[in-house]
């Protein structure tokens, strides 16, 4: 029997729903045993978020200076054949609970020498967060074999409004009589994520742990929005710069830090409304001259599973 360990933290419940869909076929397979463990912060993060606390989490998030999570009820000597890590994206970084796990001694014992699949549920920008997670997995001696990403399929301009409102009020919408769609990953996409579980269930029982080839190629596990590659790079640098400044002004909740934070929020809104669309337009204008570079970037960020969905029908409902 193959043993699978699934770890994840879901603040809104969306990532839990995604993992439920992915894991359904594995749970019902008698040849596979699944252990599922939630990553629990020692001090729970609120949902909905208070406005300033939401933004005040970003400096420590991007600098990976995060509080530890509660101890996990896992035997590190268990002979797992596959690790699945589900995480949210906070400020282009893995969420604080996911980072805390990856920094732990337990993660070093669990991931070393084992195949790892990451599962992401987010708005639309996940490339930089996955780069961070990839670095941790490599540092810990794990082997990233697949990455599953489900995102909000609405236009970025719509999600710029809908996602923050959801985070700050708990209301997913739709808004303004349906002019702005409901926030979050579409329910149909979440249901269809079960195809990944069916593919794993079909392949895992015959698979050697030393096999580091992808299991989910051709299933449309990821989709790269080439217009956001440059925007993510710029935004990540901005987060590091402002995050460093905010950390210099004091700890979370400090009066001076909050004053600078308000200035940062104004800057961030202006950045999203001006620089991000401008970068997308410029990238599109110059795309005829940089097609090879863009193709290389897409291939790199889509790895290891790739964007192709030519085999999705094999494991459809």
């Amino acid at each position: 029997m193959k043993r699978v360990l699934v770890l994840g933290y879901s603040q809104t419940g969306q990532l839990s729903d995604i993992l439920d869909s992915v894991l359904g076929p594995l749970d019902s397979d008698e040849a596979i045993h699944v252990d599922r463990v939630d990553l629990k912060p020692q001090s729970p993060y609120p949902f909905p978020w208070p406005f300033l606390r939401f933004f005040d989490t970003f400096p420590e998030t991007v600098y990976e200076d995060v509080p530890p999570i509660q101890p996990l009820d896992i035997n590190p000597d268990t002979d797992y054949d596959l690790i699945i890590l589900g995480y949210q994206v906070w400020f282009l970084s893995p969420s604080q609970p996911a980072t805390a796990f990856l920094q732990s001694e337990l993660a070093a014992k669990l991931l070393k020498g084992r195949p790892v699949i990451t599962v992401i549920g987010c708005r639309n920008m996940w490339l930089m967060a996955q780069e961070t997670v990839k670095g941790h997995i490599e540092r810990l001696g794990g082997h990233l074999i697949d990455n599953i990403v489900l995102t909000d399929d609405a236009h970025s301009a719509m999600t710029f409004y809908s996602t923050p409102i959801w985070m700050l009020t708990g209301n997913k919408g739709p808004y303004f009589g349906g002019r702005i769609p409901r926030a979050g990953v579409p329910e149909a996409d979440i249901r269809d994520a079960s195809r990944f579980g069916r593919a794993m269930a079909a392949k895992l029982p015959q698979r050697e742990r030393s096999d580091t080839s992808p299991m989910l190629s051709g299933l449309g596990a990821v989709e790269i929005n080439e217009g956001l590659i440059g925007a993510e790079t710029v935004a990540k640098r901005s987060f590091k710069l402002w995050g460093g400044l905010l950390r210099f002004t004091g700890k979370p909740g400090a009066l001076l830090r909050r004053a600078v934070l308000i200035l940062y929020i104004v800057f961030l809104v202006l950045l999203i409304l001006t620089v991000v669309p401008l970068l997308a337009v410029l990238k599109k204008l110059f795309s005829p001259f940089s097609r090879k570079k863009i193709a290389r970037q897409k291939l790199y960020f889509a790895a290891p599973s790739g964007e192709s969905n030519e085999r999705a029908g094999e494991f459809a409902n």
Side-chain angles (χ1 to χ4, degrees):
M1 176 176 288
K2 297 292 185 177
R3 299 184 68 93
V4 178
L5 174 63
V6 183
L7 301 138
Y9 168 75
S10 182
Q11 187 183 24
T12 66
Q14 176 176 263
L15 184 63
S16 289
D17 292 341
I18 293 170
L19 288 173
D20 287 344
S21 180
V22 171
L23 297 176
L26 299 178
D27 287 329
S28 60
D29 194 307
E30 294 182 354
I32 300 172
H33 176 83
V34 178
D35 288 329
R36 185 165 173 180
V37 179
D38 291 332
L39 306 177
K40 296 180 180 179
Q42 292 188 353
S43 297
Y45 296 96
F47 183 76
W49 283 96
F51 181 80
L52 283 180
R53 183 172 176 186
F54 172 72
F55 287 100
D56 206 16
T57 61
F58 105 80
E60 281 66 37
T61 300
V62 299
Y63 275 89
E64 298 188 85
D65 182 11
V66 302
I69 53 177
Q70 294 182 22
L72 300 178
D73 186 17
I74 303 173
N75 182 353
D77 297 322
T78 303
D79 196 23
Y80 288 110
D81 298 284
L82 176 66
I83 308 291
I84 297 176
L85 174 63
Y87 72 93
Q88 301 169 294
V89 177
W90 292 6
F91 301 100
L92 304 186
S93 300
S95 69
Q96 290 194 10
T99 296
F101 166 72
L102 290 167
Q103 292 175 340
S104 69
E105 293 182 6
L106 180 60
K109 295 177 181 178
L110 290 172
L111 269 61
K112 186 174 182 180
R114 290 190 171 92
V116 180
I117 294 177
T118 47
V119 180
I120 304 170
C122 68
R123 183 175 76 99
N124 60 8
M125 300 175 82
W126 55 269
L127 303 180
M128 297 298 105
Q130 183 66 357
E131 286 298 287
T132 299
V133 171
K134 282 163 60 177
H136 280 295
I137 293 172
E138 182 178 357
R139 173 181 60 80
L140 296 169
H143 306 289
L144 180 66
I145 62 169
D146 281 296
N147 181 32
I148 301 168
V149 183
L150 273 67
T151 63
D152 191 324
D153 65 351
H155 190 278
S156 293
M158 301 295 183
T159 62
F160 172 63
Y161 176 87
S162 62
T163 301
I165 295 301
W166 177 26
M167 293 298 103
L168 297 173
T169 69
N171 177 18
K172 296 187 72 171
Y175 313 94
F176 300 112
R179 292 181 179 86
I180 295 181
R182 180 179 172 86
V185 177
E187 293 180 3
D189 290 354
I190 294 176
R191 289 194 302 270
D192 289 345
S194 61
R195 69 185 184 275
F196 303 118
R198 282 190 285 274
M200 288 184 232
K203 297 179 180 182
L204 188 59
Q206 295 80 35
R207 187 179 171 97
E208 297 293 331
R209 187 186 301 169
S210 58
D211 187 351
T212 58
S213 63
M215 284 196 285
L216 307 179
S217 296
L219 300 184
V222 302
E223 182 177 352
I224 306 299
N225 185 337
E226 62 188 55
L228 294 177
I229 296 174
E232 282 210 43
T233 303
V234 171
K236 184 71 173 182
R237 291 171 181 166
S238 170
F239 284 155
K240 294 289 283 188
L241 177 64
W242 280 89
L245 175 61
L246 284 162
R247 283 162 61 84
F248 179 76
T249 61
K251 294 186 179 297
L255 186 60
L256 178 58
R257 173 159 159 159
R258 290 205 162 198
V260 177
L261 183 62
I262 292 171
L263 178 64
Y264 165 73
I265 293 169
V266 174
F267 167 81
L268 180 62
V269 171
L270 291 175
L271 179 75
I272 293 173
L273 292 177
T274 58
V275 176
V276 171
L278 179 61
L279 285 173
V281 170
L282 290 175
K283 194 171 185 69
K284 194 169 187 65
L285 287 174
F286 287 99
S287 61
F289 308 102
S290 56
R291 284 175 181 162
K292 290 184 178 180
K293 179 181 178 181
I294 292 173
R296 287 195 304 270
Q297 288 178 324
K298 292 186 69 175
L299 190 65
Y300 170 78
F301 286 117
S305 303
E307 291 188 277
S308 170
N309 62 0
E310 60 186 2
R311 297 178 56 244
E314 296 179 29
F315 300 99
N317 286 321

